[in-house]
Amino acid sequence: MKRISHTRRNFLVSTGAFALTAVSGLALPAISRAASRPVFTHGIQSGDVDSSAGMIWTRADRPSRIGIEVSTTESFADPVRLPPLNALPESDFAVKQLLTDLASDQEVFYRLTAVDLNDLNAVSVPIIGRFKTAPMSKRNIRFAWSGDTVGQGWGIDETGMKTYSAIAKHQPDFFLHSGDTIYADGPLVEEVDLKDGTKWKNRIIIDEKRKVAETLEEYRGQWKYNLLDDHVRELNAVCPTFLQWDDHEVTNNWSSSKSLIADDRYKEKSVALLSARAARAFHEMTPIRYTPAEPGRVYRKIAYGPLLDVFFLDLRSYRGPNGPDMEDTVTPASAILGERQVRWLKRELLNSKATWKVIASDMPLGVIVWDNAKEKRGAEAVANGDNGPAKGRELEIADLLRFIKTAGITNTVWFTADVHYTAAHYYNPDKAQFQDFAPFWEFISGPIHAGTFGPNDLDQTFCPELKFIKAPTPEQGQNLPPSAGLQFFGLVDIEGASQQMTVRLMDRENVELYKVTLDPVFA
């Protein structure tokens, strides 16, 4: 596969010195030591890049005017200067801008500079990022995906979030984060005792990570914590991230039936209020695009050239209450996507001209995830665990799969995370209880930096055939730390000439665990 001519390692060398200064306060250039100069506190991010546009993000340390320069050369010999943005306390000094009118398949460099609004002579050291727009031709495409960042008390240790660095080595066109992008319900402590007698030491902890998030400031702090990791910021500087959310952006397994009455960690008991604050922080602190028709919407499509469309689902915001999940008809209580999102997805899939239709789901379809894991009771995901005909949330999925088959929509592949292990599933209608669908693949990856769990049981309604799995053994137990090595991501390569899709499941040491090549079907 032909990759970008500029090396991303060289680019990181050119931008990394400032990122280190901004986050750690280490003395490098004298210009950055002056207390009067604004500082970019958490690096830069880009996201939701297509063939003509991409979102960029940064955060300053004070009220600032953010100047934006865009160039097609790393030297910025002839940059386009955009109107500045104002970083103000109301958004926690975070800003983002959709760069538009870009050429397809183009390397884009952006340079940001902050001017102190209280002292216009105080100007920051610039910070630089890059991304490449989607192609309009059938060129090779590579993307990575994973999920689950800073969960179960495993924060930034001496090694840091190494899996992000492993992803960066593959120079993907973009990174798809499948949800649980933060753990707002996962406080950190300085040290955790491990089974082997050693200790896990969280090298960095901020106040917002010492308790569960309840206020808007605390939710924002979850994002700011993750961006203190060197590996995360380095990947962000050179690779767009396409994000979706799940439950831990708010609190564990949240739905309208979630009760915090007995959870003494929470003074604020309203899950509705917590989810509203979390949603605002999610959109403020990430490079996700805004949807004017529904501000705050997470589900969306990103067209990435003639070979690939990516459909991002939201299985959290429109679901009915977690419960037995045994309804016989589709109702608001049995919803997992909701009527409006289902209509949108059907329409967009039907209109897609791309060879591959990637469905990015924040939860797997046939993996049983219990709302009450200890008692194995109540559905948290789609599967209800009865191994029978479609019921409850499975009804929406059955209707969707039937539509895909009936409409002749080909080459749909599902990518997901959530369950904290990696696996490959082939859904075979011949062996399923519900059979009115065309065969398809589902790939699971993660965690990227969180506890490792599993494996979970599989529900036979849609009959996922297990083709590969890597999860803790009974001897290893559950909630393994990242240092145990069972941290996972996936790589997807679409070859321009043959249009084949190759999926690889990887661990954080960049060891290939599983590989399969899928041939496209042409109607």
Side-chain angles (χ1 to χ4, degrees):
M1 175 177 288
K2 184 178 179 181
R3 310 308 298 167
I4 298 168
S5 59
H6 305 283
T7 69
R8 299 190 182 191
R9 179 176 295 277
N10 290 342
F11 180 75
L12 286 173
V13 169
S14 69
T15 61
F18 176 72
L20 181 62
T21 305
V23 174
S24 68
L26 295 179
L28 289 173
I31 191 172
S32 67
R33 295 201 303 267
S36 64
R37 306 178 80 88
V39 170
F40 292 108
T41 58
H42 294 82
I44 46 180
Q45 304 180 71
S46 65
D48 285 15
V49 173
D50 59 22
S51 61
S52 63
M55 187 73 80
I56 60 172
W57 177 99
T58 194
R59 180 181 182 274
D61 67 338
R62 68 191 71 182
S64 304
R65 181 171 297 153
I66 310 299
I68 305 171
E69 297 174 285
V70 182
S71 178
T72 57
T73 62
E74 194 169 352
S75 65
F76 287 87
D78 188 21
V80 175
R81 293 177 175 85
L82 301 181
L85 302 174
N86 291 321
L88 299 172
E90 289 77 10
S91 62
D92 197 30
F93 310 118
V95 296
K96 59 185 184 179
Q97 170 77 45
L98 185 66
L99 305 183
T100 59
D101 301 320
L102 305 175
S104 64
D105 208 13
Q106 175 66 58
E107 193 80 12
V108 176
F109 299 86
Y110 56 98
R111 181 166 61 193
L112 309 179
T113 307
V115 177
D116 191 331
L117 286 173
N118 291 307
D119 178 6
L120 298 182
N121 292 316
V123 182
S124 74
V125 174
I127 190 168
I128 300 172
R130 69 191 288 177
F131 61 83
K132 191 171 187 178
T133 54
M136 294 299 288
S137 62
K138 293 180 180 179
R139 73 154 165 86
N140 296 348
I141 296 170
R142 171 176 294 169
F143 70 88
W145 94 96
S146 188
D148 315 303
T149 303
V150 187
Q152 293 75 49
W154 312 115
I156 303 170
D157 66 339
E158 287 299 325
T159 301
M161 301 191 210
K162 183 179 178 179
T163 313
Y164 282 86
S165 178
I167 291 172
K169 292 176 182 177
H170 293 277
Q171 300 184 12
D173 290 296
F174 61 88
F175 169 53
L176 193 166
H177 200 306
S178 300
D180 292 335
T181 49
I182 59 169
Y183 275 72
D185 58 336
L188 301 177
V189 296
E190 276 77 9
E191 295 184 351
V192 180
D193 293 328
L194 302 179
K195 289 182 179 180
D196 62 2
T198 62
K199 292 182 182 292
W200 172 279
K201 296 183 180 181
N202 288 313
R203 178 174 57 89
I204 300 173
I205 303 181
I206 60 175
D207 288 344
E208 294 92 335
K209 286 299 297 181
R210 295 184 184 275
K211 63 181 293 295
V212 295
E214 299 176 84
T215 67
L216 178 58
E217 180 182 2
E218 288 166 351
Y219 277 108
R220 289 165 170 164
Q222 311 302 305
W223 294 97
K224 289 188 283 188
Y225 179 79
N226 291 2
L227 291 169
L228 295 178
D229 181 81
D230 294 339
H231 305 299
V232 171
R233 291 194 317 280
E234 289 173 0
L235 180 64
N236 286 345
V238 298
C239 177
T241 299
F242 300 175
L243 296 114
Q244 57 194 142
W245 76 342
D246 190 29
D247 58 331
H248 291 287
E249 285 81 0
V250 181
T251 189
N252 186 50
N253 292 4
W254 72 275
S255 73
S256 59
S257 63
K258 178 75 174 184
S259 174
L260 297 174
I261 298 300
D263 194 333
D264 294 335
R265 301 178 303 165
Y266 287 90
K267 295 180 181 179
E268 176 55 65
K269 302 298 184 180
S270 171
V271 174
L273 182 56
L274 293 177
S275 64
R277 290 169 176 166
R280 176 171 171 176
F282 179 81
H283 282 271
E284 285 179 338
M285 304 303 291
T286 68
I288 186 175
R289 292 199 197 191
Y290 287 116
T291 303
E294 186 185 345
R297 200 174 90 178
V298 175
Y299 72 85
R300 63 204 188 280
K301 183 190 97 170
I302 296 178
Y304 208 83
L307 296 181
L308 176 64
D309 281 344
V310 186
F311 304 86
F312 293 87
L313 304 187
D314 179 359
L315 277 68
R316 188 60 53 178
S317 301
Y318 312 98
R319 65 169 54 197
N322 285 1
D325 195 29
M326 295 297 289
E327 293 86 356
D328 291 318
T329 58
V330 176
T331 68
S334 70
I336 185 73
L337 292 169
E339 182 181 359
R340 186 175 182 181
Q341 186 176 186
V342 170
R343 288 201 311 269
W344 165 85
L345 181 57
K346 288 180 178 179
R347 181 179 68 250
E348 295 295 337
L349 284 170
L350 191 61
N351 292 335
S352 175
K353 303 302 181 184
T355 303
W356 293 99
K357 293 88 175 172
V358 161
I359 301 178
S361 178
D362 46 296
M363 305 193 82
L365 299 182
V367 177
I368 301 171
V369 184
W370 299 110
D371 188 40
N372 183 332
K374 184 176 181 180
E375 299 178 11
K376 293 188 175 182
R377 179 168 52 84
E380 156 63 2
V382 174
N384 56 30
D386 79 336
N387 297 305
K391 292 183 178 181
R393 292 170 178 166
E394 296 168 341
L395 293 169
E396 272 189 347
I397 302 302
D399 174 67
L400 174 63
L401 297 179
R402 181 190 295 114
F403 173 82
I404 291 172
K405 174 187 174 183
T406 303
I409 298 168
T410 58
N411 307 321
T412 60
V413 187
W414 294 65
F415 292 88
T416 187
D418 182 65
V419 289
H420 294 245
Y421 63 87
T422 190
H425 297 150
Y426 180 72
Y427 285 77
N428 186 346
D430 294 336
K431 299 181 180 181
Q433 292 295 310
F434 174 82
Q435 297 186 328
D436 195 8
F437 67 93
F440 65 94
W441 284 83
E442 174 188 67
F443 298 97
I444 301 174
S445 196
I448 194 169
H449 191 85
T452 314
F453 290 86
N456 293 26
D457 293 330
L458 301 179
D459 187 287
Q460 297 307 300
T461 298
F462 304 118
C463 194
E465 294 181 359
L466 184 62
K467 297 298 185 180
F468 175 81
I469 188 169
K470 186 69 177 290
T473 65
E475 294 73 24
Q476 289 175 309
Q478 300 292 288
N479 194 19
L480 302 185
S483 55
L486 297 184
Q487 304 288 291
F488 306 112
F489 68 98
L491 288 172
V492 181
D493 285 294
I494 302 175
E495 206 273 325
S498 69
Q499 303 184 52
Q500 290 177 319
M501 173 184 283
T502 298
V503 181
R504 290 180 282 166
L505 303 180
M506 313 288 292
D507 68 16
R508 80 171 191 165
E509 300 300 329
N510 257 320
V511 174
E512 182 182 298
L513 307 173
Y514 177 78
K515 177 180 177 180
V516 63
T517 296
L518 310 181
D519 292 318
V521 174
F522 298 104

